[in-house]
Amino acid sequence: MTRIPRRAARVGTTALAIASVAVLTACGTTSGSTDGGEAATELGEYEGQVSLLAWPGYVEDGSNDPAIDWVTPFEEATGCVVTSKTYGTSDEAFNLMKTGEYDVVAASGDATLRLIAAGDVAPVNTDLIPNYEGIYDFLKEKEWNSVDGVSYGVPHGYGANLLMYNTDEVTPAPTSWDVVFDAAGDYSGKVTAYDSPIYIADAAVYLMAHEPELGIENPYALDETQFAAAVDLLKAQREHVGEYWSDYLKEIQAFETGDSVVGTTWQVIQNVLAASGATTDVVLPEEGATGWSDTWMIGSEAENPNCAYAWLDYIASPEANGAATEYFGEAPSNEAACEFRSEGSCEAFHAGDAEYAAQIWYWTTPIAECVDGRTDVECVDYAGWTTAWQEIKG
């Protein structure tokens, strides 16, 4: 996955409540441990610093915009000085975490299981994270952020990969992904698709509804036969794709110029286009959609586990979660975060709408052990998806 910070929604300096962070100033003498793949049982004194690895726009300290700062209140409350590094793709994040140089990573679902399987992140004890209680239940203990009922992090924000269309060119208004797959020829050369191996799951979502005989139960758990069908669908789509996009600014431009008239998008992109008067709209198609739910995770070799736990609790608080997710352009994970976002922003991203969220297949790292629970076959892992994606694009 490649992600550019989405700044359609901006938030001013918020008086972030920090009382919850103080709870984590533990009186125990044993510092939080991530050794041996076990979650900490208690926390000790803060170490005075914490290193974060995150998507652009997730760790704002006022240096990019003086009005955008949720890091300073955390530092003042805990004494944990934040250093951060941004990355551009999930593959980059995965490789950087292997160095053991980062205490915390904000990872998307196409990286989380890889990080867990590699032993690069540790289980977390959610009892030590008071704000975890406020996280929406439909984001907790899911296949992309937990293993065998053990949590590996705290959900941050989430969103769906929607279908965008030019309302003048694509009529009637589409209700299905067929306009970019079986009927893509109607808009040949002006179809756009997300540029990542994880996009193979979008084809699988379509096949789940239109070729049920394949038996696909989860778009991230594809055996060889199911995977081949998804790849074939994308190879057929390829001749009609005008542009694969990963930079959201380029997709905005393509829809403004008319180079693209239909394809995958994010709600924030539609918000930007609507504000500029563009003739576009979005829909969550009848087949459902893929999407993302990012997770804050603690490195298995974290040198500052106590400050790491403090950050996970702080960024999950209503105030900080509200500020960070609105700035980035996604739904918050904390149920009370909407109280700290601008009017209408949560509604625009369907925040807290469990029925809407249930139609989203959140990015999950494909692994050989099928995440749909099957044990009689092996599924194609992420390496296989990457190889196939290169073949699809040619």
Side-chain angles (χ1 to χ4, degrees), residues 2 8 24 52 121 133 137 219 282 298 304 316 386:
T2 303
L24 289 178
L52 311 178
V121 292
E133 184 178 355
D137 287 339
V282 294
I298 297 179
N304 306 290
T386 300

Side-chain angles (χ1 to χ4, degrees), residues 125-145:
N125 183 348
T126 56
D127 290 340
L128 300 176
I129 304 173
N131 280 307
Y132 186 79
E133 184 178 355
I135 301 297
Y136 291 121
D137 287 339
F138 59 78
L139 298 177
K140 294 179 178 177
E141 295 185 11
K142 299 302 180 181
E143 58 268 25
W144 63 87
N145 59 29

Side-chain angles (χ1 to χ4, degrees), residues 134-189:
I135 301 297
Y136 291 121
D137 287 339
F138 59 78
L139 298 177
K140 294 179 178 177
E141 295 185 11
K142 299 302 180 181
E143 58 268 25
W144 63 87
N145 59 29
S146 65
V147 175
D148 296 330
V150 177
S151 175
Y152 276 82
V154 174
H156 177 70
Y158 68 97
N161 297 314
L162 301 170
L163 175 63
M164 175 177 279
Y165 60 98
N166 183 309
T167 55
D168 289 339
E169 300 290 334
V170 183
T171 57
T175 60
S176 167
W177 288 109
D178 62 357
V179 291
V180 298
F181 290 122
D182 290 334
D186 294 345
Y187 309 101
S188 189

Side-chain angles (χ1 to χ4, degrees), residues 1-3 55 88-91 108 110 194 196 292 294 363 382:
M1 168 188 171
T2 303
R3 190 92 59 81
W55 291 109
T89 69
S90 288
D91 289 346
S108 292
D110 55 343
Y194 189 58
S196 170
W292 73 91
D294 292 348
W363 280 331
Y382 189 74

